C-alpha cells in the first residue's frame, strides 16, 4: 500500500486556551524519520472555531512521506491565533500500523504539565477510519499560486507616530537562499484596512526556489514615499508546507524582549500549479526602462 486515507472523527475534551472557554483547534503531522531534506509539516488540518470537540476533514498521506508503516510520527494539536503564535495544546506519537487497528483514540499530552495537580491530559484524538490504497497521491505540481494576508497587530512606536492620521501601506518581499540570497518577489504596497493587508496573488515554480523544502522568507515592510521603509517583521516556510493553509508569526528580532510576542500574523494560502504559467521572458537581449521620481530635495 502506497498511501492511506484517514478519517479523523475529531477530538474531544480539549483543553480551553481562549478567554471564551473554547479553543480554535487544528493539528499538524510531522515525522523526524521523513526522507525529505528537512523535516516539513506533512499535513496541517483546517482550524475549527470555538470548539473543544472539533471534527476535522478526512485527509490522505503517503506512506513514504512518513518513512514506512512502522516509523513513528507526531500529531500536535494547537489553538489557532491570528498572530501566528498558536498555543500548544498537546501531542502524541503513533504509527500507521497503530492507526490501522481502527477506532483508535489517543491521549493528547502536554509534557510540561505532567505532574501538576489534577492534570490527566489535554484531550483525546479520535480516528474513525483508515483505508490503504494502491497508489501515491501527487503533491504540489510544478509550483504554487500564493495568496497572502497579513494581520498587523503590533508596530514600533516610531512607525505608528509617523503614520498618525494616515493609513498604513505595507508591502511584502520574498527571499530564498539558493545558495546565495535571492529576492524572488516584491508586491505593490497595499492599504491596511481594519488591521489587515491583502496583496495580489503571485506564483513560484518549484525549480526556481531550489526545491519544495527550500526555506522561503517573507519580509513585511511599511511603505514610505521617501523609501525609508519601516521593517515590520519576517517569517519563513517552504512550498511543501504551503500545500496546506498556514498562519505564521511575523517576528522582528530586534524587538524581542519584555512584552513583545509578534508583529502580527501572515496567513498564506496556495493553489498547486499543474503546468508552468505563461510568463514574460525575464532574460532579454536589452531592456527599455521608464522611471519617475517623487519628493526630490531642492
Amino acid at each position: 500500500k502506497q498511501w492511506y486515507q484517514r478519517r479523523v472523527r475529531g477530538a474531544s475534551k480539549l483543553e480551553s486556551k481562549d478567554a471564551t472557554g473554547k479553543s480554535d483547534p487544528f493539528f499538524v503531522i510531522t515525522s523526524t524519520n521523513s526522507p525529505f531534506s528537512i523535516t516539513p509539516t506533512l499535513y496541517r488540518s483546517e482550524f475549527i472555531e470555538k470548539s473543544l470537540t472539533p471534527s476535522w476533514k478526512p485527509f490522505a498521506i503517503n506512506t513514504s512521506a512518513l518513512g514506512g508503516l512502522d516509523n513513528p510520527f507526531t500529531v500536535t494539536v494547537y489553538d489557532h491565533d491570528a498572530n501566528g503564535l498558536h498555543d500548544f495544546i498537546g501531542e502524541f506519537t503513533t504509527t500507521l500500523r497503530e492507526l490501522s487497528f481502527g477506532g483508535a483514540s489517543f491521549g493528547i499530552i502536554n509534557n510540561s504539565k505532567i505532574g501538576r495537580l489534577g492534570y490527566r491530559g489535554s484531550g483525546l484524538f479520535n480516528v474513525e477510519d483508515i483505508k490503504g490504497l494502491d497508489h501515491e497521491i501527487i503533491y504540489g505540481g510544478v509550483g504554487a499560486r500564493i495568496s497572502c494576508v497579513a494581520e498587523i497587530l503590533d508596530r514600533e512606536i516610531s512607525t505608528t507616530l509617523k503614520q498618525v492620521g494616515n493609513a498604513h501601506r505595507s508591502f511584502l518581499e520574498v527571499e530564498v537562499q539558493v545558495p546565495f540570497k535571492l529576492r524572488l518577489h516584491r508586491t505593490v504596497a497595499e492599504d491596511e484596512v481594519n488591521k489587515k493587508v491583502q496583496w495580489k496573488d503571485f506564483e513560484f515554480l518549484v525549480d526556481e526556489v531550489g526545491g519544495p523544502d527550500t526555506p522561503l522568507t517573507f519580509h513585511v515592510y511599511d511603505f514610505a514615499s521617501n523609501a525609508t521603509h519601516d521593517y515590520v517583521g519576517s517569517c519563513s516556510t517552504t512550498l511543501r508546507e504551503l500545500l496546506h493553509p498556514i498562519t505564521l508569526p511575523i517576528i522582528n528580532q530586534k524587538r524581542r524582549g519584555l512584552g513583545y510576542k509578534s508583529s502580527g500574523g501572515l496567513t498564506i494560502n496556495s493553489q498547486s500549479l499543474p503546468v508552468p504559467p505563461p510568463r514574460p521572458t525575464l532574460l532579454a537581449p536589452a531592456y527599455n526602462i521608464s522611471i519617475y521620481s517623487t519628493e526630490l530635495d531642492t
Side-chain angles (χ1 to χ4, degrees), residues 15 25 43 63 75 77 104 106 124 138 146-147 153 158 165 196-197 260 273 275 285 294:
E15 187 177 49
Y43 181 77
T63 307
V75 179
V77 182
F106 298 87
L124 290 175
I138 299 174
I146 297 173
S147 173
L153 305 177
S158 59
K196 292 185 179 181
V197 183
Y260 177 75
L273 300 174
V275 296
T294 59

Side-chain angles (χ1 to χ4, degrees), residues 138-190:
I138 299 174
Y139 290 114
V142 300
R145 179 174 293 111
I146 297 173
S147 173
C148 294
V149 178
E151 186 163 347
I152 310 298
L153 305 177
D154 187 13
R155 287 181 169 89
E156 290 189 272
I157 294 176
S158 59
T159 302
T160 303
L161 291 176
K162 283 198 297 185
Q163 294 294 331
V164 170
N166 299 308
H168 288 283
R169 300 183 66 222
S170 302
F171 66 94
L172 189 70
E173 289 185 348
V174 186
E175 290 182 344
V176 65
Q177 194 87 17
V178 286
F180 54 88
K181 186 180 293 186
L182 176 66
R183 185 175 296 120
L184 290 175
H185 185 73
R186 180 190 289 120
T187 69
V188 174
E190 301 287 356

Side-chain angles (χ1 to χ4, degrees), residues 21-259:
K22 302 287 186 179
S23 290
D24 304 317
F26 70 97
F27 68 91
V28 300
I29 294 178
T30 56
S31 173
T32 55
N33 295 310
S34 169
F36 303 132
S37 57
I38 63 172
T39 304
T41 295
L42 300 179
Y43 181 77
R44 180 183 295 101
S45 77
E46 75 280 14
F47 71 91
I48 307 299
E49 292 188 19
K50 297 180 174 60
S51 177
L52 298 181
T53 56
S55 181
W56 292 292
K57 296 176 183 177
F59 66 97
I61 194 165
N62 288 331
T63 307
S64 59
L66 295 171
L69 194 63
D70 295 306
N71 266 337
F73 60 88
T74 300
V75 179
T76 308
V77 182
Y78 295 93
D79 172 36
H80 182 275
D81 284 329
N83 64 2
L85 296 172
H86 313 301
D87 294 316
F88 175 73
I89 293 177
E91 63 185 8
F92 66 93
T93 298
T94 186
T95 66
L96 279 176
R97 189 183 299 277
E98 287 182 348
L99 290 182
S100 70
F101 300 156
S105 293
F106 298 87
I108 301 168
I109 302 298
N110 185 337
N111 287 325
S112 68
K113 293 187 176 182
I114 293 178
R116 291 187 186 181
L117 183 64
Y119 180 73
R120 301 179 64 181
S122 298
L124 290 175
F125 189 92
N126 308 304
V127 180
E128 181 177 345
D129 187 33
I130 178 171
K131 296 178 180 178
L133 295 129
D134 59 4
H135 61 280
E136 286 198 340
I137 52 176
I138 299 174
Y139 290 114
V142 300
R145 179 174 293 111
I146 297 173
S147 173
C148 294
V149 178
E151 186 163 347
I152 310 298
L153 305 177
D154 187 13
R155 287 181 169 89
E156 290 189 272
I157 294 176
S158 59
T159 302
T160 303
L161 291 176
K162 283 198 297 185
Q163 294 294 331
V164 170
N166 299 308
H168 288 283
R169 300 183 66 222
S170 302
F171 66 94
L172 189 70
E173 289 185 348
V174 186
E175 290 182 344
V176 65
Q177 194 87 17
V178 286
F180 54 88
K181 186 180 293 186
L182 176 66
R183 185 175 296 120
L184 290 175
H185 185 73
R186 180 190 289 120
T187 69
V188 174
E190 301 287 356
D191 290 338
E192 180 179 305
V193 180
N194 296 326
K195 289 282 187 178
K196 292 185 179 181
V197 183
Q198 182 166 1
W199 295 283
K200 291 182 179 179
D201 294 357
F202 52 92
E203 297 161 341
F204 288 143
L205 299 180
V206 174
D207 290 343
E208 72 183 352
V209 304
D213 300 313
T214 301
L216 301 170
T217 302
F218 293 71
H219 303 289
V220 181
Y221 294 88
D222 277 335
F223 177 81
S225 59
N226 62 359
T228 58
H229 312 304
D230 292 302
Y231 175 65
V232 177
S234 302
C235 54
S236 295
T237 185
T238 67
L239 282 183
R240 193 185 301 278
E241 288 191 326
L242 295 183
L243 289 169
H244 315 290
I246 188 171
T247 301
L248 299 166
I250 302 169
I251 301 296
N252 184 340
Q253 296 290 346
K254 292 182 179 180
R255 297 186 60 196
R256 282 196 179 275
L258 185 64

